[in-house]
Amino acid sequence: MILAVTALAPPASAASVTNDDVTFTNGGVTLHGTVVAPPGGTKLPGLVMVHGSGAHSREDYREQAEAFARQGIATLIYDKRTEGYSQFERSYSTLADDALAAVSVLRKRSDVDPARVGVWGLSEGGWVAPLAASRSSDVAFVVTLGANGVEPSQQQAWAVQNQLRRLGMDGSIVRMASSTMFRQLAGGGVFPEAHYDPVAVLTSLRQPVLGLWGAKDILTPPGEAVRIFRESVAHHTLRVFPDAQHQLRRTTDGFDKLPGYAPGYLELVGSWVHNPPSASTADAPPAQDRPSTAVTPLAWYEPTWLQLAALVFLLVAFAWYPLFRRGPAARPARWLSATGLLAVLGFLVVDVLIQLSMGKGLGPVVAGRPLPWLALQLLSLATVAATIGTAVAWWRNRGPRLGVLLAGGVVFVPWAIYWGLLGI
């Protein structure tokens, strides 16, 4: 339940705010921002807004910054770095140092009380902002929105499950997309910060923390997050907004985004920043349809290089027979070559489409399977049947070229099981 919040009385000049452009550096990278503040203020608290994941400019947070400024808070928004940050490269440590550089800018302003400057972090910023605070006593407090108490890989897997199940999918495609795929991406080094552990940082914080969540968040497991923050953060105020999504926008189901923020959110931040309570309080954790599941590191028998080697071998083996066959072709071998190639190449295409079309689907869904995945599973069953027929033909003829094709069929079976092509 949300506690009643009394909005601060706005200053006389509440209709306007000042905008001062600033620059600051970290690690040789110059960052550009704007301090949004009430005009004529003195000894103001300060707030640095730390971005969510992906590319962001300061304009993405201007609406909230202006709302905070009108409540007497000098708020710094800045353009997120692009150097050293991408889908395949990022460092929470570097992002935390960016935030600390911004804190330093605010603390030096004549209208700001340097002892009351804190950080605000959304989503990915919910990992970064506490990390920044843990490194410096210059940070007086922390505000988080949609923050996670679990590892990024675990959060992302949970979010993907929500997206796919909303589209009517179930079974092996959900397990593949939300577990196997992420484990391979992390193992291959293309899921940066996959196993970052936020709990160690949260337990080290000595600053007061205001943690905010939407009960209908489908990107962050909110129930788990509230429980972890409650158990880990020494000085906390934890609030849940019942009809809000990940960014605390109004919503009906967590997927849509209605105009405006959850009632009371902006006012709560303003009043809390001006006067953080001395006692810890927490709302009840919201219900989740399902718990998140840890994405475990790859076992010794499933490294990414082995998966790539198996993929190359399958393509070569299935193409080998038609390219180097001499004499009449055995019917099972022809089927194995054709179905095997189609299954492997089709899987590569569908895997890419799943990642690119997340939230949009792959067309009609039958028995929990989108049609492209159902077609792949049928092709995989045909490949297994053709492998058995080819094994019989090889036993009769013992031809080396047939042996290469048969080896491909044998390797295909565990490969297809691993990737869910032979799963239900």
Side-chain angles (χ1 to χ4, degrees):
M1 178 179 292
I2 302 299
L3 295 182
V5 176
T6 302
L8 295 178
S13 54
S16 64
V17 295
T18 62
N19 290 271
D20 297 326
D21 289 341
V22 296
T23 60
F24 50 97
T25 61
N26 175 39
V29 175
T30 299
L31 300 169
H32 302 269
T34 300
V35 177
V36 185
T42 58
K43 294 295 182 180
L44 301 171
L47 187 64
V48 171
M49 301 189 74
V50 182
H51 322 80
S53 63
H56 287 284
S57 77
R58 72 193 91 171
E59 299 305 318
D60 296 333
Y61 304 98
R62 182 172 292 277
E63 179 184 1
Q64 294 173 82
E66 291 180 351
F68 298 148
R70 292 189 178 107
Q71 297 182 75
I73 303 170
T75 307
L76 195 159
I77 50 178
Y78 60 98
D79 301 330
K80 191 172 185 177
R81 68 164 51 231
T82 56
E83 183 176 331
Y85 185 92
S86 69
Q87 183 68 33
F88 306 109
E89 179 187 14
R90 70 189 63 183
S91 164
Y92 292 167
S93 178
T94 299
L95 295 176
D97 287 342
D98 288 347
L100 289 176
V103 167
S104 179
V105 169
L106 267 187
R107 295 182 81 243
K108 293 175 182 177
R109 284 176 59 94
S110 61
D111 58 344
V112 170
D113 181 353
R116 294 198 296 157
V117 175
V119 289
W120 171 106
L122 164 67
S123 192
E124 181 182 78
W127 287 307
V128 175
L131 179 59
S134 73
R135 292 180 170 181
S136 176
S137 59
D138 288 346
V139 179
F141 58 84
V142 179
V143 179
T144 64
L145 270 69
N148 281 278
V150 298
E151 297 180 353
S153 57
Q154 185 169 341
Q155 170 268 321
Q156 190 66 19
W158 186 81
V160 167
Q161 283 190 42
N162 288 335
Q163 295 282 356
L164 297 181
R165 292 182 187 280
R166 181 195 181 213
L167 298 168
M169 300 184 200
D170 200 359
S172 61
I173 187 171
V174 174
R175 290 192 296 272
M176 186 281 293
S178 65
S179 179
T180 309
M181 183 172 67
F182 281 115
R183 295 177 68 241
Q184 284 296 330
L185 290 173
V190 293
F191 189 158
E193 299 285 12
H195 298 297
Y196 172 82
D197 180 12
V199 174
V201 170
L202 294 176
T203 55
S204 73
L205 292 178
R206 294 298 172 260
Q207 300 94 329
V209 175
L210 172 62
L212 307 173
W213 290 270
K216 295 181 179 179
D217 195 332
I218 50 85
L219 298 179
T220 290
E224 294 170 47
V226 172
R227 283 190 290 270
I228 291 171
F229 268 63
R230 184 180 61 196
E231 295 166 2
S232 303
V233 178
H235 185 180
H236 58 256
T237 304
L238 311 180
R239 297 290 173 261
V240 178
F241 291 79
D243 294 311
Q245 44 85 277
H246 185 58
Q247 299 171 343
L248 290 193
R249 293 280 188 176
R250 295 171 54 246
T251 186
T252 60
D253 60 2
F255 292 94
D256 61 1
K257 186 189 298 185
L258 303 179
Y261 288 95
Y265 152 58
L266 296 171
E267 295 81 6
L268 173 58
V269 173
S271 61
W272 187 92
V273 167
H274 278 279
N275 188 25
S278 57
S280 292
T281 58
D283 287 344
Q288 289 178 205
D289 289 342
R290 68 190 63 84
S292 65
T293 304
V295 177
T296 57
L298 296 175
W300 63 268
Y301 56 83
E302 52 177 341
T304 303
W305 68 263
L306 183 60
Q307 291 297 320
L308 293 175
L311 184 65
V312 171
F313 174 75
L314 289 173
L315 291 173
V316 171
F318 291 141
W320 185 275
Y321 187 69
L323 291 176
F324 296 99
R325 173 181 58 83
R326 295 177 183 176
R331 179 175 295 178
R334 293 201 307 268
W335 275 102
L336 177 55
S337 178
T339 58
L341 277 174
L342 287 173
V344 174
L345 292 173
F347 173 77
L348 294 177
V349 172
V350 170
D351 186 41
V352 171
L353 289 176
I354 289 174
Q355 298 181 55
L356 293 178
S357 63
M358 192 62 65
K360 299 178 182 178
L362 298 173
V365 175
V366 178
R369 302 169 176 85
L371 289 182
W373 186 259
L374 181 59
L376 280 177
Q377 291 197 301
L378 293 175
L379 276 171
S380 298
L381 289 173
T383 301
V384 173
T387 297
I388 296 172
T390 303
V392 173
W394 174 82
W395 182 258
R396 292 172 178 169
N397 301 314
R398 306 294 178 90
R401 286 179 291 276
L402 203 59
V404 173
L405 177 63
L406 178 59
V410 171
V411 171
F412 177 84
V413 175
W415 179 85
I417 292 174
Y418 180 80
W419 287 102
L421 295 174
L422 293 175
I424 58 175

